[in-house]
Amino acid sequence: MRYFVLLLLFAVACKSSELEGQESVDFVNPFIGTAGEKGEGFGNTFPGAAYPFGMIQLSPDNAGQGWMYCSGYHYPDTLIVGFSHTHLSGTGVSDFCDISVMPTTRKIEKRYFVQDDSTIDAILKEKGWQEDAIASSEGVFDKHFLLGYCSSFLHQNEKASPGYYSVKLNDSGINVELTTSEMVGMHRYHFPKNAKQQNVILNLGYTNKDKTTDAFIRRRTSDLLTGYRFSSGKANVQKVFFAMQLSRNIEDYQFFLVDEKDENTAKGPLTAAGFSFNKNEGDELIIKVAISSVSEEGALANLRTADLYGFDFDAMHSATRRKWNEELSKMKVSTSDEEKKNIFYTSLYHCYLAPYRFSDSDGQYKNFNHVPEKAEGYTQYTVLSLWDTFRALNPLLTIMQPKVEEDIICSMMAKYRQTRELPYWEIAANEGGSMIGYHAAVLIADAVTKNIGSYNLEEIFQALKDVSETERKGLGFYNQYHFVPTNKEKSGTVSKTLEYAYDDWCIAQVAKALGKDEEYRKYMERSTYYKNLYDPAYHLFRGKNSDGSWYEPFQPRYAAYGNPHCVEGNTWQYSFFAPHDMPGLIQLMGGNNGLEMMLDSLFIQTSELLGEDTEDVTGLIGQYAHGNEPSHHVAYLYDYIGKPEKTQFYTNKIINTLYKNLHDGLCGNEDCGQMSAWYVFSSIGMYPVNPVEGKYWFGSPQFKQVDLQLPNEKLFTIKANNVSTENIYIASVKLDGKTLPRWYVTWDEIQNGGVLEFEMTNKINPNK
């Protein structure tokens, strides 16, 4: 028995040593969140190669359509139609997948580009495929997919890590490898030695994400192509110019689906081309691709940023891997639990994918008026999913990546100068228009109050005032009635009122910092408007008509899309959103006991939702919905009422049941890093309930030690002594050796560096 125990201890020690010897980048699993069914848990992430906040997201695209294919890739699919250079990370809407490239050993034939049913049927029969096998559950097969050049694949022949993706294509035997630098994607294809042909399809018409409005291919030399793809989708006017350089000369080529015929150019809304290479020149082909929102010349200049690599695929991959490891290692976690380390570093990886670089190497980008503009002294970013990310992703960047956060604010202010509007859901210099609130105010207030970045503060405050005085999505009614009336605004009136009130509080903090007392009082008053929709009969917020009467019918668990009360949720999930005024919310709810009763009811009641099309409301614990953002702060509210053990219980439960190291390991859309940022914060033991307030409330830390190497060169260490699967409760907290008599740590305390030390136990309320 003694021998067995010693052997077990030795094995555990070896395992721990093995984990500690690996690099942070080794624990990332880009396949987390690539699977799941709508309504059951889905991440909509992509597994392909990317660079931290880079311009290129080079990833495979499957053949399906619909919700599960928003990122271009859905793990259960078995076909690949191409490898494109732009992808959205974890959104609930589709777009991008621009500039698709697909290698093939099949002869390039015009019939594979014809769009009639008889040709499709013939190809299906020839390849032995059933149409329903390549159609998604929500749509029919898109004939623009160039079916003849699709390939099946097996997941055991697929690999992914930060900055790298590879797969073997079953139909041709081609081994595909992808990597990227900040502005250039690189493909490496190994054709089978017995391949009769070595061909590549360049497809500018393909995508099931948006509509191609124009496309153009220019053959500049035998190894250099340029062109563009214009499209309309969530980004109403998107322009992607490209430059493609090949390691070998093109031997022959064909253009298809074109409106104009020319020896070296092809143009049309569904432009595609096939290129052939001399198989006697070797089995390897390398392709470098750069993109630009401005011009072909801009894409060529971006392509030159990778000249130091030449066509050395391994050199580019190694450099990008080092960059990822450098960024990920700034948060160093110590644990013997490999699964948790996988989830943590994959979460942090997801946090550093978006937003994406949008400005070229010379600073030029297509602005919001669709003309070239230069980003002076900062990087212009795109894909700002602010309704999601203001809660945890942007606060995490504020701590760990303040330069990125500063540039995001500069990017938002660029839009304001060009259009007199701040962004809501920005994509490719378009306003996507999704979601509610004006949460640019949260990011700006967070930066101003924490002295992050340098801005024209008078211009910033004017932008905040302007965004708060529009009539967008019921805001005009909000200013008129001091709530959004349900009989005036067709949907989401409770959500809108509560979120506008929080944004107004954020504006007030900027006014205070600038010494604008009158505006401070004005916006603080507006920040109390949320109270006007509280119904003491239900202890919940609900819709109200403009005459002051309650809107009927009312069912707190009704969560149908477009419902009159809430956006992507129900009133159970939204009734705890007043992060700027917790004393006021507690008073409304009947004091500490009242809020505790309502929080308990939220978590322990039935998870049944009422209404149709409630797929956005997932990850349910009672009516708490972790798969969507409105619930993300709720478990931490017990801290405010002296019940921290309940915060610790529920955050631990969420961490350990709703995040997994699996393809379906996310219970809802990743949403450009927000789902993962919640995990990063919560797993180290704290969360910014109200980011602008600068307080990080304690939950249940998961790691024995976390070292945060801060950008100011200070080290902030979080220790959780005796932490285990049983020891999930906090017995005591010390900061730099002194007992901390509260359940949060502040921004200034983190920035000063030092040691936050938790003593963990399996006992509830050990000091009571």
Side-chain angles (χ1 to χ4, degrees):
M1 182 64 181
R2 182 182 178 187
Y3 174 78
F4 175 77
V5 171
L6 289 173
L7 192 62
L8 181 61
L9 290 173
F10 176 76
V12 171
C14 288
K15 180 68 171 179
S16 178
S17 175
E18 178 186 343
L19 292 185
E20 297 301 327
Q22 291 179 270
E23 295 182 303
S24 301
V25 72
D26 294 322
F27 294 96
V28 176
N29 176 8
F31 289 108
I32 291 178
T34 59
E37 297 298 326
K38 188 175 181 181
E40 296 180 5
F42 44 89
N44 282 348
T45 60
F46 64 84
Y51 189 91
F53 310 109
M55 185 176 282
I56 298 286
Q57 309 84 42
L58 180 50
S59 191
D61 298 314
N62 300 138
Q65 301 181 77
W67 179 277
M68 281 83 78
Y69 292 87
C70 287
S71 73
Y73 179 95
H74 183 49
Y75 191 84
D77 207 311
T78 59
L79 294 180
I80 289 176
V81 299
F83 303 92
S84 61
H85 295 76
T86 61
H87 292 83
L88 291 174
S89 178
T91 61
V93 295
S94 298
D95 209 320
F96 287 9
C97 297
D98 298 290
I99 321 301
S100 177
V101 182
M102 183 69 173
T104 180
T105 57
R106 176 180 284 273
K107 181 181 179 182
I108 298 174
E109 298 183 60
K110 188 170 184 178
R111 72 189 186 106
Y112 290 119
F113 296 86
V114 177
Q115 306 299 297
D116 63 272
D117 289 335
S118 61
T119 301
I120 294 294
D121 292 340
I123 297 169
L124 288 170
K125 182 177 180 180
E126 174 187 333
K127 297 183 77 69
W129 291 342
Q130 297 295 319
E131 184 160 354
D132 60 4
I134 54 175
S136 78
S137 61
E138 297 190 10
V140 298
F141 184 78
D142 189 331
K143 297 173 185 177
H144 296 169
F145 279 140
L146 304 186
L147 179 60
Y149 302 103
C150 291
S151 178
S152 60
F153 71 103
L154 299 174
H155 289 302
Q156 63 251 40
N157 295 328
E158 208 179 14
K159 295 179 181 178
S161 60
Y164 180 80
Y165 173 87
S166 69
V167 67
K168 181 178 181 179
L169 302 177
N170 288 348
D171 293 23
S172 61
I174 299 171
N175 284 305
V176 174
E177 294 177 280
L178 310 175
T179 192
T180 182
S181 64
E182 185 178 15
M183 297 187 188
V184 179
M186 188 180 291
H187 308 233
R188 179 162 66 183
Y189 305 146
H190 281 105
F191 292 88
K193 294 187 179 298
N194 60 353
K196 294 183 179 179
Q197 301 211 19
Q198 296 180 3
N199 299 324
V200 169
I201 305 298
L202 171 60
N203 187 357
L204 306 186
Y206 154 70
T207 181
N208 67 338
K209 313 307 171 209
D210 57 8
K211 179 182 179 181
T212 304
T213 57
D214 194 10
F216 178 79
I217 299 173
R218 185 197 312 272
R219 180 177 176 271
R220 291 187 174 233
T221 66
S222 59
D223 65 350
L224 181 63
L225 308 167
T226 61
Y228 59 75
R229 177 178 185 264
F230 297 170
S231 61
S232 179
K234 184 172 179 64
N236 188 45
V237 179
Q238 188 191 5
K239 297 182 177 182
V240 180
F241 296 88
F242 73 91
M244 177 183 293
Q245 189 173 20
L246 304 112
S247 63
R248 292 160 54 191
N249 291 333
I250 297 169
E251 184 176 57
D252 193 14
Y253 61 93
Q254 297 184 59
F255 293 132
F256 299 98
L257 303 172
V258 298
D259 294 332
E260 300 176 7
K261 293 187 180 296
D262 182 271
E263 183 177 351
N264 289 303
T265 64
K267 186 175 181 0
L270 294 172
T271 297
F275 302 99
S276 300
F277 300 86
N278 188 337
K279 65 185 184 66
N280 295 323
E281 294 179 356
D283 303 326
E284 182 180 273
L285 174 66
I286 293 177
I287 302 174
K288 293 193 292 187
V289 179
I291 61 175
S292 166
S293 64
V294 177
S295 65
E296 293 174 59
E297 296 306 316
L300 284 166
N302 292 342
L303 187 67
R304 287 192 287 272
T305 65
D307 281 353
L308 72 160
Y309 302 114
F311 288 102
D312 191 335
F313 181 96
D314 294 327
M316 179 182 283
H317 170 218
S318 295
T320 298
R321 177 185 167 85
R322 285 193 300 272
K323 176 63 175 176
W324 272 114
N325 195 59
E326 175 188 342
E327 299 304 326
L328 297 174
S329 296
K330 291 175 182 177
M331 297 186 76
K332 185 175 179 59
V333 300
S334 298
T335 180
S336 59
D337 190 329
E338 185 171 4
E339 288 290 295
K340 282 187 177 174
K341 209 164 187 179
N342 288 139
I343 297 169
F344 178 86
Y345 280 114
T346 304
S347 296
L348 191 58
Y349 166 78
H350 283 149
C351 291
Y352 292 171
L353 287 174
Y356 305 147
R357 178 170 183 144
F358 196 58
S359 50
D360 290 345
S361 57
D362 63 357
Q364 294 285 323
Y365 68 97
K366 183 204 74 169
N367 75 8
F368 290 84
N369 296 316
H370 311 303
V371 296
E373 181 99 3
K374 187 170 185 179
E376 298 280 3
Y378 75 98
T379 297
Q380 183 74 20
Y381 283 110
T382 187
V383 184
L384 303 178
S385 182
L386 300 181
W387 183 83
D388 307 290
T389 64
F390 83 84
R391 307 163 198 267
L393 185 277
N394 291 106
L396 180 67
L397 299 183
T398 298
I399 295 174
M400 301 304 302
Q401 301 283 343
K403 183 59 172 72
V404 173
E405 190 69 6
E406 178 183 359
D407 286 357
I408 290 171
I409 293 170
C410 290
S411 300
M412 296 194 301
M413 290 304 298
K415 183 193 177 188
Y416 174 73
R417 286 190 291 273
Q418 294 156 21
T419 67
R420 310 313 292 177
E421 290 184 344
L422 287 169
Y424 304 95
W425 208 122
E426 186 277 341
I427 177 170
N430 290 258
E431 181 49 62
S434 296
M435 307 316 298
I436 59 174
Y438 32 98
H439 299 312
V442 186
L443 277 65
I444 290 171
D446 200 25
V448 170
T449 57
K450 293 180 174 65
N451 295 313
I452 293 172
S454 177
Y455 320 100
N456 181 332
L457 295 181
E458 290 297 328
E459 180 189 40
I460 270 187
F461 191 67
Q462 186 61 51
L464 293 174
K465 289 198 298 183
D466 288 350
V467 77
S468 73
E469 299 293 343
T470 70
E471 296 189 357
R472 180 184 186 266
K473 299 201 175 189
L475 186 52
F477 297 131
Y478 171 84
N479 287 322
Q480 179 181 354
Y481 295 99
H482 299 177
F483 63 91
V484 181
T486 311
N487 64 319
K488 298 284 187 179
E489 180 77 2
K490 65 180 181 179
S491 66
T493 56
V494 171
S495 302
K496 292 170 183 174
T497 300
L498 270 57
E499 293 193 25
Y500 295 155
Y502 175 56
D503 292 337
D504 284 340
W505 182 88
C506 293
I507 296 174
Q509 306 318 299
V510 178
K512 182 179 181 180
L514 298 181
K516 298 180 180 294
D517 295 339
E518 183 178 347
E519 285 94 341
Y520 172 73
R521 289 190 295 271
K522 170 187 173 180
Y523 283 101
M524 285 300 289
E525 172 65 23
R526 283 173 49 144
S527 76
T528 67
Y529 290 173
Y530 77 94
K531 296 180 180 181
N532 295 327
L533 294 187
Y534 181 74
D535 184 352
Y538 285 90
H539 297 283
L540 297 170
F541 292 87
R542 61 180 293 197
K544 183 182 284 188
N545 297 315
S546 56
D547 64 3
S549 62
W550 295 114
Y551 181 87
E552 297 289 353
F554 175 60
Q555 168 49 256
R557 288 189 285 112
Y558 186 74
Y561 179 79
N563 85 73
H565 304 282
C566 295
V567 172
E568 296 190 7
N570 60 31
T571 54
W572 268 112
Q573 285 127 29
Y574 256 98
S575 287
F576 303 95
F577 188 80
H580 60 295
D581 186 22
M582 284 306 300
L585 180 64
I586 291 169
Q587 184 179 25
L588 283 180
M589 293 276 186
N592 287 356
N593 291 338
L595 180 57
E596 182 182 10
M597 178 190 71
M598 294 304 293
L599 287 169
D600 289 347
S601 299
L602 173 77
F603 282 106
I604 66 176
Q605 67 173 285
T606 176
S607 294
E608 179 188 8
L609 299 171
L610 299 180
E612 298 179 355
D613 194 17
T614 61
E615 290 86 352
D616 277 327
V617 186
T618 57
L620 290 164
I621 301 173
Q623 284 293 308
Y624 173 90
H626 193 72
N628 213 347
E629 281 66 27
S631 288
H632 275 193
H633 69 293
V634 173
Y636 288 88
L637 299 188
Y638 286 110
D639 279 349
Y640 288 80
I641 57 174
K643 297 291 182 179
E645 69 279 0
K646 291 188 176 181
T647 286
Q648 293 152 29
F649 174 82
Y650 282 115
T651 55
N652 182 76
K653 183 173 183 177
I654 295 164
I655 287 168
N656 287 290
T657 63
L658 297 180
Y659 290 85
K660 301 172 184 175
N661 184 25
L662 298 170
H663 311 109
D664 59 351
L666 291 172
C667 66
N669 285 345
E670 162 59 16
D671 282 323
C672 299
Q674 170 58 29
M675 188 73 71
S676 289
W678 187 96
Y679 185 91
V680 170
F681 267 123
S682 296
S683 67
I684 68 175
M686 59 186 184
Y687 189 80
V689 173
N690 173 6
V692 181
E693 189 179 32
K695 295 177 180 178
Y696 303 83
W697 293 82
F698 298 149
S700 182
Q702 303 293 302
F703 305 112
K704 63 182 181 181
Q705 183 165 320
V706 184
D707 293 314
L708 277 60
Q709 185 61 60
L710 302 174
N712 65 6
E713 299 185 354
K714 299 286 184 67
L715 181 68
F716 186 71
T717 296
I718 302 169
K719 293 183 177 181
N721 299 326
N722 302 313
V723 68
S724 68
T725 56
E726 293 79 24
N727 294 346
I728 66 171
Y729 298 106
I730 299 173
S732 64
V733 189
K734 292 181 180 179
L735 181 63
D736 293 333
K738 296 180 180 179
T739 298
L740 197 63
R742 47 182 158 84
W743 292 102
Y744 62 84
V745 65
T746 69
W747 163 263
D748 288 337
E749 288 166 342
I750 293 173
Q751 293 303 302
N752 288 336
V755 179
L756 180 68
E757 192 169 7
F758 298 103
E759 290 293 333
M760 305 302 295
T761 178
N762 61 358
K763 297 180 176 63
I764 298 175
N765 297 330
N767 296 324
K768 291 187 179 180

